[in-house]
């Protein structure tokens, strides 16, 4: 699970999002597959959903920092869905602790792109899109402690996620650009 604050980009206002991802593998390609994401910027919602196939929904965010403590909320149509309190530690984080058992998947994303029906018929395949971030630069990564509350709303059944526990937390500061990605597999549907 990740919370992301993106600063102003090319004249677009900053945006915030929260995403739930799972490790994924297709052939020799590994990465994370985003299964659910909320974002507060319409341009980011449309581009991410329509081009890169991220399962994005609109959300409203509270992102407050008071010293080493962050309070993060995501609401949709007024209903609280996600809440975290994150407290930064004073040690650098070098990846995830071994005891968490997080697989070495790297920064790539693997998303399944389904095609919409057209007047010419219904698509017979879906593509797996690999998105790499070749120009990503990580400036710092700090160990943290965090809490997480997940609540279903009337329009968002988050019970399907099951129980989510915080095993480890970190706060990263980095820069990256949005590459177009490449199709690495196609599957019949």
């Amino acid at each position: 699970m990740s919370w992301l604050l993106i600063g102003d980009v090319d004249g677009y206002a900053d945006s915030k999002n929260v995403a739930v991802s799972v490790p994924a593998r297709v052939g020799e390609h590994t990465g994370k597959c985003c299964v659910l994401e909320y974002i507060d910027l319409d341009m980011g919602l449309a581009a991410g959903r329509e081009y890169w196939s991220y399962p994005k929904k609109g959300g409203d965010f509270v992102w407050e920092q008071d010293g080493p403590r962050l309070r993060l909320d995501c609401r949709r149509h007024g209903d609280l869905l996600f809440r975290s309190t994150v407290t930064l530690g004073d040690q650098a984080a070098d990846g995830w602790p071994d005891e968490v058992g997080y697989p070495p998947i790297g920064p790539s994303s693997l998303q399944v792109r389904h095609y919409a029906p057209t007047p010419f018929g219904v698509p017979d395949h879906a593509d797996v899109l690999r998105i790499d971030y070749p120009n990503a630069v990580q400036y710092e990564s700090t160990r943290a402690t965090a809490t997480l509350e997940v609540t279903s709303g009337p329009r968002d059944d988050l019970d399907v996620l099951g129980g989510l526990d915080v095993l480890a937390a970190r706060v990263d500061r980095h820069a990256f650009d949005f590459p177009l990605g490449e199709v690495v597999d196609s599957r019949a549907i």
Side-chain angles (χ1 to χ4, degrees):
M1 166 134 188
S2 62
W3 294 86
L4 183 64
L5 171 64
I6 299 175
D8 295 348
V9 177
D10 292 334
Y12 291 100
D14 67 346
S15 66
K16 298 162 203 73
N17 73 20
V18 59
V20 177
S21 299
V22 297
R25 177 186 310 275
V26 174
E28 76 272 9
H29 303 281
T30 58
K32 60 185 178 296
C33 178
C34 179
V35 297
L36 180 63
E37 182 175 343
Y38 293 87
I39 187 168
D40 67 350
L41 183 66
D42 290 341
M43 186 278 303
L45 185 145
R49 187 171 54 198
E50 303 306 322
Y51 187 80
W52 288 288
S53 301
Y54 286 101
K56 293 188 175 195
K57 297 180 178 185
D60 298 308
F61 289 80
V62 170
W63 193 291
E64 297 173 343
Q65 184 163 0
D66 183 15
R69 185 180 209 108
L70 290 164
R71 177 177 163 243
L72 310 168
D73 286 356
C74 173
R75 295 177 182 273
R76 185 161 183 247
H77 302 290
D79 300 309
L80 179 66
L81 301 176
F82 297 93
R83 172 172 282 160
S84 284
T85 301
V86 180
T87 304
L88 285 109
D90 55 5
Q91 293 182 332
D94 184 25
W96 295 107
D98 290 339
E99 61 270 14
V100 172
Y102 192 78
I105 60 172
S108 298
S109 293
L110 295 172
Q111 292 302 127
V112 178
R113 183 187 301 171
H114 294 273
Y115 295 94
T118 69
F120 304 105
V122 176
D124 62 354
H125 74 283
D127 291 335
V128 177
L129 186 65
R130 179 182 170 132
I131 305 149
D132 293 312
Y133 303 92
N135 299 323
V137 176
Q138 184 164 314
Y139 298 110
E140 64 183 319
S141 183
T142 306
R143 291 193 187 279
T145 58
T147 62
L148 173 65
E149 298 172 44
V150 180
T151 310
S152 288
R155 297 170 194 86
D156 300 89
D157 179 11
L158 299 180
D159 292 338
V160 299
L161 297 175
L164 297 175
D165 296 322
V166 177
L167 301 178
R170 69 181 197 216
V171 175
D172 297 340
R173 192 173 69 82
H174 50 99
F176 62 92
D177 55 13
F178 293 100
L180 298 178
E182 67 174 311
V183 174
V184 295
D185 197 9
S186 289
R187 301 284 171 112
I189 53 175

